[in-house]
């Protein structure tokens, strides 16, 4: 058996990875643009055929009235919502107490070990 050593240049490998990544990103962007431009209208057309109904405007929708629903009931519902919303908020004092905490020594925050080389 003969061992063959393959030597590759790391810079050329970096270019291959770069161009592969750029190709994947831009090809997916083109695919999404094509889907939104061509496939989405087709899907909406098929949906409209399946539902077989035209879109209704808000003014065309008829509201069914309920004779049992009176102003008293709506007042009770409004009062209940108001009471529920007021219970959610806590009433706390606006006094803040700030205590200074003594920090322990850490060599990571020490300025003695700076990275400046003074000659």
């Amino acid at each position: 058996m003969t061992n063959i050593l393959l030597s590759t240049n790391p810079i050329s490998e970096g270019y291959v990875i770069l161009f592969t990544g750029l190709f994947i990103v831009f090809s997916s962007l083109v695919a999404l643009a094509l889907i939104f431009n061509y496939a989405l209208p087709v899907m909406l057309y098929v949906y409209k055929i399946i539902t077989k109904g035209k879109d209704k405007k808000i003014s065309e929708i008829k509201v069914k009235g309920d004779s049992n629903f009176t102003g008293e009931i709506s007042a009770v519902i409004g009062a209940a919502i108001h009471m529920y919303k007021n219970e959610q908020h806590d009433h706390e004092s606006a006094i803040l107490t700030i205590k200074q905490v003594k920090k322990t020594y850490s060599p990571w925050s020490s300025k003695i070990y700076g990275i400046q080389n003074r000659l």
Side-chain angles (χ1 to χ4, degrees), residues 65-82:
D66 188 7
S67 60
N68 296 331
F69 192 77
T70 61
E72 295 171 350
I73 295 174
S74 61
V76 169
I77 292 173
I81 291 173
H82 177 72

Side-chain angles (χ1 to χ4, degrees), residues 17-73:
I17 293 171
L18 171 74
F19 290 127
T20 304
L22 287 174
F23 175 74
I24 290 170
V25 167
F26 285 113
S27 61
S28 62
L29 286 175
V30 168
L32 284 173
L34 291 174
I35 287 172
F36 284 126
N37 283 336
Y38 298 111
L40 192 61
V42 171
M43 288 189 286
L44 290 174
Y45 179 72
V46 169
Y47 174 75
K48 198 171 194 179
I49 290 173
I50 290 172
T51 57
K52 293 182 183 177
K54 67 174 190 168
D55 295 334
K56 293 183 178 180
K57 296 180 181 175
I58 294 176
S59 60
E60 295 175 356
I61 298 173
K62 296 179 182 176
V63 179
K64 297 177 183 177
D66 188 7
S67 60
N68 296 331
F69 192 77
T70 61
E72 295 171 350
I73 295 174

